Amino acid sequence: KWARKLTSFVCNKADLITVRDRESASELKEMGVAAAKITVTADSVLSLKPVTGEGGRTLLQKAGVDLTKPVIGISVRPWAGDARCFQVLAEAASKLQQRYGAQLILLPLQYSVDVKACEKLRKALACQKDVFLLNERYNTEEFLSIIGNCDLLIGMRLHALVFAAVMQTPILAISYDPKVDSFVNAIGEKPVGTVEKIDGDMVVQAAVASWQKAPLEQNKNIEILRQKAQINSDKAFALLKKG
């Protein structure tokens, strides 16, 4: 209660507030923040432009990845009760490996916290062949390029999913927080499960479906979000000029 009151007090002092989804706007309004101050836009990361795949190819080849085979990127993070989630995900990923002859690329977006989560996932995999943990500090452009070389991105991290959206890589989202649900819903998709409730067969079925369809609708929705993301900086600059 006290934290919510403080949040309301601080936000009502602001000249401008942008939030990345309607759910966040509703939450602020429930706290007592003036609705007139709030503009619903989109995550600022969506304003990033796609990059070429050349840098990512170089980094993947350096790690030993064979780019003539399908590549599945997986981004996980530590969370309460993640042991069962990682076990189910490992079983599903192993089935996809066998079905498509795919290689698994484990991507720790938040270094070094996510490295431990990726190592936990790797230990749960039935087969260690064609599994690569990219245990280095990459910058945003490098992550974009790496993910752009993936045929599919399975992600818990919100910004792994956003990077995939920017690079037009099909995604499967595992939700651990409402912000993940909000983003995935905004691009016309649904989470394949949550950390608490995930089914391996559903992951495999969703992956197969994503592999077989062109993400046309997803691309259309992402372009709308990209335009909304630009509003963040436009409004900020307009406010500064006014001041």
Side-chain angles (χ1 to χ4, degrees):
K1 274 187 176 180
W2 182 234
R4 291 172 71 85
K5 286 180 180 178
L6 282 173
T7 300
S8 176
F9 175 79
V10 171
C11 287
N12 275 316
K13 296 289 184 182
D15 295 300
L16 170 68
I17 301 169
T18 65
V19 293
R20 60 189 171 193
D21 50 57
R22 292 189 183 90
E23 291 80 2
S24 298
S26 297
E27 191 72 17
L28 287 179
K29 290 171 187 175
E30 286 181 15
M31 292 181 196
V33 178
K37 291 179 177 285
I38 305 168
T39 301
V40 178
T41 58
D43 194 304
S44 296
V45 177
L46 283 159
S47 62
L48 291 172
K49 293 181 179 179
V51 302
T52 67
E54 186 177 349
R57 285 193 293 273
T58 299
L59 291 170
L60 288 171
Q61 287 171 339
K62 180 182 175 183
V65 179
D66 182 356
L67 294 175
T68 64
K69 298 179 180 179
V71 176
I72 299 175
I74 305 178
S75 170
V76 293
R77 58 153 299 161
W79 197 253
D82 60 21
R84 180 189 172 277
C85 174
F86 289 172
Q87 183 61 48
V88 173
L89 181 56
E91 291 170 3
S94 296
K95 289 179 181 177
L96 291 171
Q97 264 190 307
Q98 293 172 6
R99 181 164 185 162
Y100 293 104
Q103 297 169 103
L104 304 181
I105 313 301
L106 308 183
L107 296 167
L109 253 72
Q110 186 173 323
Y111 204 92
S112 60
V113 175
D114 290 359
V115 172
K116 295 178 181 178
C118 287
E119 287 175 341
K120 190 189 256 188
L121 175 61
R122 181 167 64 176
K123 287 178 182 178
L125 290 165
C127 178
Q128 300 297 310
K129 184 182 178 183
D130 287 337
V131 178
F132 303 87
L133 171 54
L134 301 190
N135 190 3
E136 291 188 32
R137 294 179 185 270
Y138 298 112
N139 61 36
T140 299
E141 186 173 334
E142 288 171 333
F143 268 124
L144 283 167
S145 190
I146 289 169
I147 290 173
N149 279 281
C150 293
D151 297 284
L152 177 70
L153 189 283
I154 303 174
M156 285 175 65
R157 279 282 178 200
L158 173 63
H159 286 124
L161 300 169
V162 175
F163 287 170
V166 170
M167 296 302 292
Q168 299 186 8
T169 297
I171 65 171
L172 290 185
I174 299 169
S175 178
Y176 73 93
D177 188 275
K179 64 186 179 183
V180 175
D181 298 80
S182 296
F183 172 70
V184 175
N185 292 336
I187 63 172
E189 300 288 339
K190 292 181 179 180
V192 72
T194 66
V195 176
E196 297 82 11
K197 190 175 181 181
I198 183 171
D199 180 88
D201 289 336
M202 287 185 64
V203 173
V204 173
Q205 290 170 16
V208 172
S210 293
W211 220 300
Q212 292 174 346
K213 71 175 182 180
L216 297 177
E217 189 63 31
Q218 179 178 305
N219 291 348
K220 178 183 175 182
N221 291 326
I222 289 165
E223 188 53 40
I224 293 171
L225 290 177
R226 286 173 65 82
Q227 293 171 13
K228 287 184 177 180
Q230 187 60 40
I231 295 173
N232 292 311
S233 55
D234 291 344
K235 281 189 170 288
F237 281 118
L239 182 64
L240 290 171
K241 288 179 181 177
K242 183 180 177 182

